[in-house]
Amino acid sequence: MTGSIEMAATARGDQRGVAVRLDGLRRRFGAVQALDGLDLDLAPGELVALLGPSGCGKTTALRVLAGLEETDSGRVLVDGRDITTTPANRRDMGMVFQAYSLFPHLTAQENVEFGLRLRKRAAGERRRRAAEMLELVGIGAHAGRYPHQLSGGQQQRVALARALAIEPQVLLLDEPLSALDAKVRVQLRDEIRRIQVEVGTTTLFVTHDQEEALAVADRVGVMRDGRLEQVGPPADIYLRPATPFVADFVGLSNRLPGRVVTGAVEVLGSRLPLVDPVGAPKDAADVTALVRPEAVDVAADPDGTGRVLAVSFLGPTSRVTVELPDDVLVVAQVASARLAELASGTAVRVELHPVPTALA
Amino acid sequence: MAGLATGGLPPRRQGLMRRRARRQRAFRWVVVTVLGVFFLLPLLAMLEFTTRGAGGRLSFDTWRLLFDWGRLRATYPDLSVGITDSAGLVVLTVLLMLVLLVPTVIWVRLRLPRLRRVVEFICLLPLTIPAIVLVVGLAPVYAWVTYFLGGSSLTLTFAYTILVLPYAYRAIDAGLSSIDVRTLAEAARGLGAGWGTVMWRVVLPNIRSAVMSAAFLTVALVLGEFTIASLLNRSNLQVAINLLGKSSAGMSVAVSLAALVLAFVLLMLLSLVGGRRRGIPKENNS
Amino acid sequence: MAAVVTRPAEPASDNRGRLSRVLTRGRSLLGVVPFFAFVAVFLAVPTLEVTIGAFTGDDGQPTLSNVGALMNGYIVDAFISSILLSAVTAVLGAVFGALLAYVLVTAKEGGLLRRVVTAASGVLAQFGGVTLAFAFMATIGLPGFVTLFLRDNFGINIYSGGVWLYEMPGLVLVYTYFQIPLMVIVFLPALDGVRPQWREATESLGGSTWQYWRRVAGPLLAPAFLGSTLLLFANAFSAYATAAALVSQGSPIVPLQIRSALTSEVVLGQQNLGKAMALGMVVVVAVVMWLYALLQRRTAKWLG
């Protein structure tokens, strides 16, 4: 960060984060209710990620905010002003698309200058600003290249620079990383976050990749069928999923048979507190609990009822699949250092950590 | 609250995008209508022309004659010869094109990749050599063809195969590009197939629709060819139509229309064959 | 290091390897012999025949007199007419064809309109010639449907200034009729390559519809449009059948000049003038197609 303080200062000087409010948005496409009363608030300078499976309405929400899609009802407010009927080209929103959005007949530099050219800025100012932006996204060296001479990751960097060059009120990122290789994806996602913090623009980031959403966002909104299931900081979404859908969609979960016991659920002999004790079924009901692999502990024990079925090495941690009586399978996450004692076929004992648990 | 009584959507929802869509729809209708009239009028005129009876009455005599092969042959022998010749040429040219081009193109892809550019260049060359030019150079060649094979109109198939090369090559090449020929061949070779088996049983079935479209294009092109047949003094459908035009305009117009419709039906079938290949589901944006 | 170790063994195996490789290669080449033989006889020989013939006198001696004869007034006129006819119909065809193609890409994908128009375009663009000439004779010939309709109902005589259908204006009309469909076929892929993201990106950057066309879609489509127009030019320039069926008096364009040179060559004793004209046509078409290929390469890069 120290290296970029100067840049951050200049960038922040002419940027201001504004508040954004989506208020009861509805949109129907034929038989599909893409948005079903969506409410979402973004604080000034905040990065909110909309997360959900394909078809959940997250892209429609972003496009409505961009002005590229119209709503059937509901309002869009930016900085307190109702812009629901403002056309896209007067909304001042920088947008980064999934892919292929750079103009192929313009160089990286000219792409970034494009928005400024439309605003009739002087040539000198355009060039300076574009160079600054390309530097910010880390590809100043390729300013003269055409899109087809750039890799997918570089193209998305240019797209980001182009979107930021017009000093947008709001930055909209529509699955900007999903067309990229896994490694580039992680690298660029961290950089998007760095840049967003630097320029301080309120940002909506749409993705179907939960890891991505949790990594970059101040808050994550999980969407399903055109409405929000839960909005909150990444840690909340992950550790205290409000609904079974969220628990299931975010992170990997074991589905284990359990029984409700006064505000908790008993699974494999352990009592786990419930995320939502009020909405839980009555006592003694048979339920399916969603348990994260990292909440499962496995230890070699000759008297244990479990048997290691398979081990997959993931680096510092590994996943161990254990078979329990009654055909129950449990996936546990353990430190890879412990793999030596957990070879396939080993008899093991399984314990669960008492973390808040959701029911399916 | 003026919008209150309208029910349904308030006026502000009649947004920019819907206005733009409406404007675009209007523009499309204008273009389609104007060009539609331009293109359909001659076809309708042909229909009217061929159903014009004595005293301005509707008459289907011409069409009845056209579809009565026996009577047609007696009345317009040249026309019936032209139709037979064109039919024969269609079959011969499709066969010759397939036999000559398909194995060569596949073979070059598999075994002689360095020749690919050469073959492509040769196949596309006829595009830059107008038929009228080709016929000038073909005259001496056809003197030899006549010497060896006789003067039958069916010998035109050699020239026609040259004419269809660009179109047939593009169709087959596109088909081959859409599959990974090398991997397919290597997989088949790995399983013990010889080169013949690879080409006949592995590659060919995978480019069947490309081969089909090459054949369809060939049919359409052969049915429409006039230049070479006319200037080499051979007969085919178009030569017969042209000849007939001088004596019996009604019949020649009727045959023209029938040929156009036939070609249209062929290309429509082609688009259905080709359309089935493109059945990849589009990714759904949420 | 490893290279040094393997080196001594190489010469022997290399020789044997080369021999067997040459044999395999030879056998591979056998596979393409029929194709090359056929092309040699029916494409290379005629091309050479034209090229050499253009520079050969009737006595079999090399001469430049055929090519020189191209400067004759009536041949120059024919070339000028041909080029004018091709240029005018190429531009008309390109403009209207591009409009129609635009309508098709904005229509529903895989819809009936697109399918029917593409198939019909294929027929009208390539099927051509004689049939279309007769179509127009039935439409606006002297006994044509439209001619009679206008005369009987409105008292309009479209031929008050002479029967233009069988002259250059008629050729322009009929050529345009097959140029528009050809434009649809060759321009459609380029239009399909225009991504909706570019329009949306322009809008989000503050651009209006006009700015989108002027700064994005226009420049992007320009090479494809120009290239397609060139292709249409070459197409019209090469066309023979329509003119042959339509024009009965005189030979206003080059292909018809070639016809009269061919059919009257024995009488005139100018056997090879036709070949010189043919060569002239090839030169024009080759230059145009070369430019087309250049523009096409750029289009492939942008809109591929």
Side-chain angles (χ1 to χ4, degrees), chain C residues 9-76:
Chain C
E10 232 168 60
S13 78
D14 198 37
N15 264 344
R16 224 176 321 130
R18 197 182 304 156
L19 185 68
S20 84
R21 230 176 299 145
V22 166
L23 278 180
T24 326
R25 217 174 145 64
R27 245 177 295 149
S28 299
L29 281 172
L30 276 183
V32 293
V33 165
F35 173 78
F36 279 98
F38 180 84
V39 170
V41 174
F42 290 97
L43 186 59
V45 169
T47 313
L48 287 176
E49 175 75 28
V50 169
T51 318
I52 296 171
F55 297 101
T56 309
D58 293 349
D59 50 2
Q61 295 300 311
T63 173
L64 286 176
S65 67
N66 301 316
V67 182
L70 291 183
M71 286 302 125
N72 279 347
Y74 72 101
I75 296 182
V76 172

Coordinates of all heavy atoms in Angstrom, one line a residue, chain C residues 9-76:
Chain C
A9 N 25.0 -41.8 -32.7 CA 24.0 -42.8 -33.2 C 23.2 -42.2 -34.4 O 22.6 -42.9 -35.1 CB 23.1 -43.2 -32.1
E10 N 23.2 -40.9 -34.5 CA 22.2 -40.3 -35.4 C 22.4 -40.5 -36.9 O 21.4 -40.9 -37.5 CB 22.1 -38.8 -35.1 CG 20.7 -38.4 -34.9 CD 20.5 -37.0 -34.3 OE1 21.0 -36.1 -35.0 OE2 20.0 -36.8 -33.2
P11 N 23.6 -40.3 -37.4 CA 23.7 -40.4 -38.9 C 23.1 -41.6 -39.5 O 22.3 -41.5 -40.4 CB 25.2 -40.4 -39.1 CG 25.8 -39.7 -37.9 CD 24.9 -40.0 -36.8
A12 N 23.4 -42.8 -39.0 CA 22.9 -44.0 -39.6 C 21.3 -44.0 -39.5 O 20.7 -44.2 -40.6 CB 23.4 -45.2 -38.8
S13 N 20.8 -43.8 -38.3 CA 19.4 -43.9 -38.2 C 18.7 -42.7 -39.0 O 17.6 -42.9 -39.5 CB 19.0 -43.8 -36.7 OG 19.0 -42.5 -36.3
D14 N 19.5 -41.6 -39.1 CA 18.9 -40.5 -39.8 C 18.7 -40.8 -41.3 O 17.7 -40.6 -41.8 CB 19.9 -39.3 -39.6 CG 19.1 -38.0 -40.0 OD1 18.0 -37.9 -39.6 OD2 19.8 -37.1 -40.6
N15 N 19.8 -41.5 -41.8 CA 19.6 -41.9 -43.2 C 18.5 -42.8 -43.5 O 17.6 -42.6 -44.4 CB 20.9 -42.6 -43.7 CG 21.9 -41.6 -44.3 OD1 21.5 -40.5 -44.7 ND2 23.1 -42.0 -44.5
R16 N 18.4 -43.8 -42.6 CA 17.3 -44.8 -42.8 C 16.0 -44.1 -42.6 O 15.0 -44.2 -43.3 CB 17.4 -45.9 -41.8 CG 17.2 -47.3 -42.5 CD 17.4 -48.4 -41.5 NE 18.6 -48.3 -40.7 CZ 18.5 -48.4 -39.4 NH1 17.4 -48.7 -38.8 NH2 19.6 -48.3 -38.6
G17 N 16.0 -43.2 -41.5 CA 14.8 -42.5 -41.2 C 14.4 -41.6 -42.4 O 13.2 -41.5 -42.7
R18 N 15.3 -40.9 -43.0 CA 15.0 -40.0 -44.0 C 14.4 -40.8 -45.2 O 13.4 -40.4 -45.8 CB 16.2 -39.2 -44.5 CG 15.9 -38.0 -45.3 CD 17.1 -37.3 -45.7 NE 18.0 -36.9 -44.6 CZ 19.3 -36.7 -44.8 NH1 19.9 -36.8 -46.0 NH2 20.0 -36.3 -43.8
L19 N 15.0 -41.9 -45.5 CA 14.5 -42.7 -46.7 C 13.1 -43.1 -46.4 O 12.2 -42.9 -47.3 CB 15.4 -44.0 -46.8 CG 15.0 -44.8 -48.1 CD1 15.4 -44.0 -49.3 CD2 15.8 -46.1 -48.1
S20 N 12.8 -43.7 -45.2 CA 11.4 -44.1 -45.0 C 10.5 -43.0 -44.9 O 9.3 -43.0 -45.3 CB 11.4 -44.9 -43.7 OG 11.2 -44.1 -42.6
R21 N 11.0 -41.8 -44.4 CA 10.1 -40.6 -44.4 C 9.8 -40.2 -45.8 O 8.6 -39.8 -46.1 CB 10.8 -39.5 -43.6 CG 9.9 -38.9 -42.5 CD 10.7 -37.9 -41.7 NE 11.8 -38.4 -41.1 CZ 13.0 -37.8 -40.9 NH1 13.1 -36.5 -41.3 NH2 14.0 -38.3 -40.3
V22 N 10.8 -40.2 -46.7 CA 10.6 -39.8 -48.1 C 9.5 -40.7 -48.7 O 8.6 -40.3 -49.4 CB 11.9 -39.8 -48.9 CG1 11.6 -39.8 -50.4 CG2 12.8 -38.7 -48.5
L23 N 9.7 -42.1 -48.4 CA 8.7 -43.0 -48.9 C 7.3 -42.7 -48.5 O 6.3 -42.7 -49.2 CB 9.1 -44.4 -48.6 CG 10.2 -45.1 -49.4 CD1 10.5 -46.5 -49.0 CD2 9.7 -45.1 -50.9
T24 N 7.2 -42.5 -47.1 CA 5.8 -42.3 -46.6 C 5.3 -41.0 -47.2 O 4.1 -40.9 -47.6 CB 5.9 -42.0 -45.0 OG1 7.0 -42.8 -44.5 CG2 4.6 -42.3 -44.4
R25 N 6.1 -40.0 -47.3 CA 5.7 -38.7 -47.9 C 5.2 -38.9 -49.3 O 4.2 -38.4 -49.7 CB 6.9 -37.8 -47.8 CG 6.4 -36.4 -47.5 CD 7.5 -35.4 -47.3 NE 7.0 -34.2 -47.8 CZ 5.9 -33.5 -47.3 NH1 5.3 -34.0 -46.2 NH2 5.5 -32.4 -47.8
G26 N 6.0 -39.7 -50.0 CA 5.6 -40.0 -51.4 C 4.3 -40.6 -51.5 O 3.4 -40.2 -52.3
R27 N 4.1 -41.6 -50.6 CA 2.8 -42.3 -50.6 C 1.7 -41.3 -50.2 O 0.6 -41.4 -50.8 CB 2.8 -43.5 -49.7 CG 2.7 -44.8 -50.4 CD 2.8 -46.0 -49.5 NE 4.2 -46.1 -48.9 CZ 4.4 -46.6 -47.7 NH1 3.5 -47.0 -46.9 NH2 5.7 -46.6 -47.3
S28 N 2.0 -40.5 -49.3 CA 0.9 -39.5 -48.9 C 0.6 -38.6 -50.0 O -0.6 -38.3 -50.3 CB 1.5 -38.6 -47.7 OG 1.8 -39.4 -46.6
L29 N 1.6 -38.2 -50.8 CA 1.3 -37.3 -51.9 C 0.4 -38.0 -53.0 O -0.3 -37.3 -53.6 CB 2.6 -36.9 -52.5 CG 3.4 -35.7 -51.8 CD1 4.7 -35.5 -52.4 CD2 2.5 -34.5 -51.8
L30 N 0.6 -39.3 -53.1 CA -0.3 -40.0 -54.1 C -1.7 -39.7 -53.8 O -2.5 -39.6 -54.8 CB -0.1 -41.5 -53.9 CG 1.1 -42.1 -54.7 CD1 1.1 -43.6 -54.5 CD2 1.0 -41.8 -56.2
G31 N -2.1 -39.5 -52.6 CA -3.5 -39.3 -52.2 C -4.1 -38.0 -52.9 O -5.3 -37.9 -53.1
V32 N -3.2 -37.1 -53.2 CA -3.8 -35.8 -53.8 C -3.6 -35.7 -55.3 O -3.9 -34.7 -55.9 CB -3.2 -34.6 -53.1 CG1 -3.6 -34.5 -51.6 CG2 -1.7 -34.6 -53.2
V33 N -3.0 -36.8 -55.9 CA -2.7 -36.7 -57.3 C -4.0 -36.5 -58.1 O -4.0 -35.7 -59.0 CB -2.0 -38.0 -57.8 CG1 -2.0 -38.1 -59.3 CG2 -0.5 -37.9 -57.3
P34 N -5.1 -37.3 -57.9 CA -6.3 -37.1 -58.7 C -6.8 -35.6 -58.7 O -7.0 -35.0 -59.8 CB -7.3 -38.0 -58.1 CG -6.6 -39.0 -57.3 CD -5.3 -38.3 -56.9
F35 N -6.8 -35.0 -57.5 CA -7.2 -33.6 -57.4 C -6.4 -32.7 -58.2 O -6.8 -31.9 -59.1 CB -7.3 -33.2 -56.0 CG -7.5 -31.7 -55.7 CD1 -8.9 -31.3 -55.8 CD2 -6.5 -30.8 -55.5 CE1 -9.1 -29.9 -55.6 CE2 -6.8 -29.5 -55.3 CZ -8.1 -29.0 -55.4
F36 N -5.1 -32.8 -58.0 CA -4.2 -31.9 -58.8 C -4.2 -32.1 -60.3 O -4.1 -31.2 -61.1 CB -2.7 -32.0 -58.2 CG -2.6 -31.2 -56.9 CD1 -2.6 -31.8 -55.7 CD2 -2.3 -29.8 -57.0 CE1 -2.5 -31.0 -54.5 CE2 -2.2 -29.1 -55.9 CZ -2.3 -29.7 -54.6
A37 N -4.3 -33.4 -60.7 CA -4.4 -33.7 -62.1 C -5.6 -33.1 -62.7 O -5.5 -32.4 -63.7 CB -4.4 -35.2 -62.3
F38 N -6.7 -33.2 -62.0 CA -8.0 -32.7 -62.5 C -7.9 -31.1 -62.6 O -8.2 -30.5 -63.7 CB -9.1 -33.1 -61.6 CG -10.5 -32.5 -62.1 CD1 -11.2 -33.2 -63.0 CD2 -11.0 -31.3 -61.6 CE1 -12.4 -32.7 -63.5 CE2 -12.2 -30.8 -62.0 CZ -12.9 -31.5 -63.0
V39 N -7.4 -30.5 -61.6 CA -7.3 -29.1 -61.5 C -6.3 -28.6 -62.6 O -6.6 -27.6 -63.3 CB -6.9 -28.6 -60.1 CG1 -6.5 -27.1 -60.2 CG2 -8.0 -28.9 -59.1
A40 N -5.3 -29.4 -62.8 CA -4.3 -29.0 -63.9 C -5.0 -28.9 -65.2 O -4.8 -27.9 -66.0 CB -3.1 -30.0 -63.9
V41 N -5.7 -29.9 -65.6 CA -6.3 -30.0 -66.9 C -7.4 -29.0 -67.0 O -7.5 -28.3 -68.1 CB -6.9 -31.4 -67.2 CG1 -7.7 -31.4 -68.5 CG2 -5.8 -32.4 -67.2
F42 N -8.3 -28.8 -66.0 CA -9.5 -28.0 -66.3 C -9.4 -26.6 -65.7 O -10.4 -25.8 -65.8 CB -10.7 -28.8 -65.7 CG -11.1 -30.0 -66.6 CD1 -10.7 -31.2 -66.2 CD2 -11.8 -29.8 -67.8 CE1 -11.0 -32.3 -67.0 CE2 -12.1 -30.9 -68.6 CZ -11.7 -32.1 -68.2
L43 N -8.4 -26.3 -64.9 CA -8.2 -25.0 -64.4 C -6.9 -24.3 -64.9 O -6.9 -23.2 -65.4 CB -8.3 -25.0 -62.9 CG -8.3 -23.6 -62.2 CD1 -9.5 -22.8 -62.6 CD2 -8.3 -23.8 -60.7
A44 N -5.8 -25.1 -64.7 CA -4.5 -24.5 -65.0 C -4.4 -24.3 -66.6 O -4.0 -23.3 -67.0 CB -3.4 -25.4 -64.5
V45 N -4.7 -25.4 -67.3 CA -4.6 -25.3 -68.7 C -5.4 -24.2 -69.3 O -4.9 -23.4 -70.1 CB -4.9 -26.7 -69.4 CG1 -5.0 -26.5 -70.9 CG2 -3.8 -27.7 -69.0
P46 N -6.7 -24.1 -69.0 CA -7.5 -22.9 -69.5 C -6.9 -21.6 -69.2 O -6.8 -20.7 -70.0 CB -8.9 -23.1 -68.9 CG -8.9 -24.6 -68.5 CD -7.6 -25.0 -68.2
T47 N -6.4 -21.5 -67.9 CA -5.8 -20.2 -67.5 C -4.6 -19.9 -68.3 O -4.4 -18.7 -68.8 CB -5.5 -20.2 -66.0 OG1 -6.6 -20.8 -65.3 CG2 -5.2 -18.9 -65.5
L48 N -3.7 -20.9 -68.5 CA -2.5 -20.7 -69.3 C -2.9 -20.4 -70.8 O -2.3 -19.5 -71.4 CB -1.6 -21.9 -69.3 CG -0.9 -22.1 -67.9 CD1 -0.1 -23.4 -68.0 CD2 0.0 -20.9 -67.7
E49 N -3.9 -21.1 -71.2 CA -4.4 -20.9 -72.6 C -4.8 -19.4 -72.8 O -4.4 -18.8 -73.8 CB -5.6 -21.8 -72.8 CG -6.3 -21.6 -74.1 CD -5.5 -22.3 -75.3 OE1 -4.8 -23.2 -75.0 OE2 -5.6 -21.8 -76.4
V50 N -5.5 -18.9 -71.9 CA -5.9 -17.5 -72.0 C -4.7 -16.6 -71.9 O -4.5 -15.7 -72.7 CB -6.9 -17.1 -70.8 CG1 -7.1 -15.6 -70.8 CG2 -8.2 -17.8 -71.1
T51 N -3.8 -16.8 -70.9 CA -2.7 -16.0 -70.7 C -1.7 -16.0 -71.9 O -1.4 -14.9 -72.4 CB -1.9 -16.4 -69.5 OG1 -2.8 -16.7 -68.4 CG2 -1.0 -15.3 -69.0
I52 N -1.4 -17.2 -72.3 CA -0.5 -17.3 -73.5 C -1.1 -16.8 -74.7 O -0.6 -16.0 -75.5 CB 0.0 -18.7 -73.6 CG1 0.8 -19.1 -72.4 CG2 0.9 -18.9 -74.9 CD1 1.2 -20.6 -72.3
G53 N -2.4 -17.2 -74.9 CA -3.1 -16.8 -76.1 C -3.2 -15.3 -76.3 O -3.2 -14.7 -77.4
A54 N -3.3 -14.6 -75.1 CA -3.4 -13.1 -75.2 C -2.2 -12.5 -75.8 O -2.2 -11.4 -76.4 CB -3.6 -12.6 -73.8
F55 N -1.1 -13.2 -75.7 CA 0.2 -12.7 -76.3 C 0.6 -13.4 -77.5 O 1.8 -13.4 -77.9 CB 1.3 -12.7 -75.2 CG 1.0 -11.8 -74.0 CD1 0.5 -12.4 -72.9 CD2 1.1 -10.5 -74.1 CE1 0.1 -11.6 -71.8 CE2 0.8 -9.7 -73.0 CZ 0.3 -10.2 -71.8
T56 N -0.3 -14.2 -78.2 CA 0.1 -14.9 -79.3 C -0.7 -14.4 -80.5 O -1.9 -14.2 -80.4 CB -0.2 -16.4 -79.1 OG1 0.4 -16.8 -77.9 CG2 0.4 -17.2 -80.3
G57 N 0.0 -14.3 -81.6 CA -0.7 -13.8 -82.9 C -1.4 -15.0 -83.5 O -1.3 -16.2 -83.1
D58 N -2.2 -14.7 -84.6 CA -2.9 -15.8 -85.3 C -1.9 -16.8 -85.9 O -2.3 -17.9 -86.2 CB -3.9 -15.2 -86.3 CG -5.0 -14.4 -85.7 OD1 -5.1 -14.6 -84.4 OD2 -5.7 -13.7 -86.4
D59 N -0.7 -16.3 -86.2 CA 0.3 -17.1 -86.8 C 1.1 -17.9 -85.8 O 2.0 -18.7 -86.2 CB 1.3 -16.2 -87.6 CG 1.8 -15.1 -86.8 OD1 1.4 -15.0 -85.6 OD2 2.6 -14.3 -87.3
G60 N 0.7 -17.8 -84.5 CA 1.4 -18.6 -83.5 C 2.6 -17.9 -83.0 O 3.3 -18.5 -82.1
Q61 N 2.9 -16.7 -83.5 CA 4.1 -16.0 -83.0 C 3.7 -15.1 -81.8 O 2.6 -14.6 -81.8 CB 4.7 -15.1 -84.1 CG 5.2 -15.9 -85.3 CD 6.3 -16.9 -84.9 OE1 7.3 -16.5 -84.2 NE2 6.2 -18.1 -85.3
P62 N 4.7 -14.9 -80.9 CA 4.4 -14.0 -79.8 C 4.2 -12.6 -80.3 O 4.9 -12.2 -81.2 CB 5.7 -14.1 -78.9 CG 6.5 -15.2 -79.5 CD 6.0 -15.6 -80.8
T63 N 3.2 -11.9 -79.7 CA 2.9 -10.6 -80.2 C 2.2 -9.8 -79.1 O 1.6 -10.4 -78.2 CB 2.0 -10.6 -81.4 OG1 1.7 -9.2 -81.7 CG2 0.8 -11.4 -81.2
L64 N 2.3 -8.5 -79.1 CA 1.6 -7.6 -78.2 C 0.4 -7.0 -78.8 O -0.3 -6.2 -78.2 CB 2.5 -6.5 -77.6 CG 3.6 -7.0 -76.6 CD1 4.5 -5.8 -76.3 CD2 2.9 -7.6 -75.4
S65 N 0.1 -7.4 -80.1 CA -0.9 -6.7 -80.8 C -2.3 -7.0 -80.2 O -3.2 -6.1 -80.3 CB -0.9 -7.1 -82.3 OG -1.3 -8.5 -82.4
N66 N -2.6 -8.2 -79.7 CA -3.9 -8.4 -79.0 C -4.1 -7.5 -77.9 O -5.2 -6.9 -77.7 CB -4.0 -9.9 -78.5 CG -3.8 -10.9 -79.7 OD1 -4.3 -10.7 -80.7 ND2 -3.0 -11.9 -79.4
V67 N -3.1 -7.4 -77.0 CA -3.2 -6.6 -75.8 C -3.3 -5.1 -76.3 O -4.1 -4.3 -75.7 CB -2.0 -6.8 -74.9 CG1 -2.1 -5.9 -73.6 CG2 -1.9 -8.3 -74.5
G68 N -2.5 -4.8 -77.3 CA -2.6 -3.4 -77.9 C -4.0 -3.1 -78.4 O -4.5 -2.0 -78.2
A69 N -4.6 -4.2 -79.0 CA -6.0 -3.9 -79.5 C -7.0 -3.6 -78.4 O -8.1 -3.1 -78.7 CB -6.4 -5.2 -80.3
L70 N -6.7 -3.9 -77.2 CA -7.6 -3.6 -76.1 C -7.8 -2.1 -76.0 O -8.7 -1.6 -75.5 CB -7.0 -4.0 -74.8 CG -7.0 -5.6 -74.5 CD1 -6.5 -5.9 -73.1 CD2 -8.4 -6.2 -74.7
M71 N -6.9 -1.3 -76.6 CA -7.0 0.1 -76.6 C -7.9 0.7 -77.7 O -8.2 1.9 -77.8 CB -5.6 0.8 -76.8 CG -4.7 0.7 -75.6 SD -5.4 1.4 -74.2 CE -5.4 0.1 -73.0
N72 N -8.4 -0.3 -78.5 CA -9.4 0.1 -79.5 C -10.6 0.8 -78.8 O -11.1 0.3 -77.7 CB -10.0 -1.1 -80.3 CG -9.0 -1.4 -81.4 OD1 -8.1 -0.7 -81.7 ND2 -9.2 -2.6 -82.0
G73 N -11.2 1.8 -79.4 CA -12.3 2.6 -78.8 C -13.4 1.7 -78.3 O -13.8 1.8 -77.1
Y74 N -13.9 0.8 -79.1 CA -15.1 0.0 -78.7 C -14.8 -0.9 -77.5 O -15.6 -1.2 -76.7 CB -15.7 -0.8 -79.9 CG -14.9 -2.0 -80.3 CD1 -15.3 -3.2 -79.9 CD2 -13.8 -1.9 -81.1 CE1 -14.6 -4.4 -80.4 CE2 -13.1 -3.0 -81.6 CZ -13.5 -4.2 -81.2 OH -12.8 -5.3 -81.6
I75 N -13.5 -1.4 -77.4 CA -13.2 -2.2 -76.3 C -13.0 -1.4 -75.0 O -13.5 -1.8 -73.9 CB -11.9 -3.1 -76.6 CG1 -12.2 -4.0 -77.8 CG2 -11.5 -3.9 -75.4 CD1 -11.1 -4.9 -78.1
V76 N -12.3 -0.3 -75.2 CA -12.2 0.6 -74.0 C -13.6 1.0 -73.5 O -13.9 1.0 -72.3 CB -11.4 1.9 -74.4 CG1 -11.4 2.9 -73.2 CG2 -10.0 1.5 -74.7

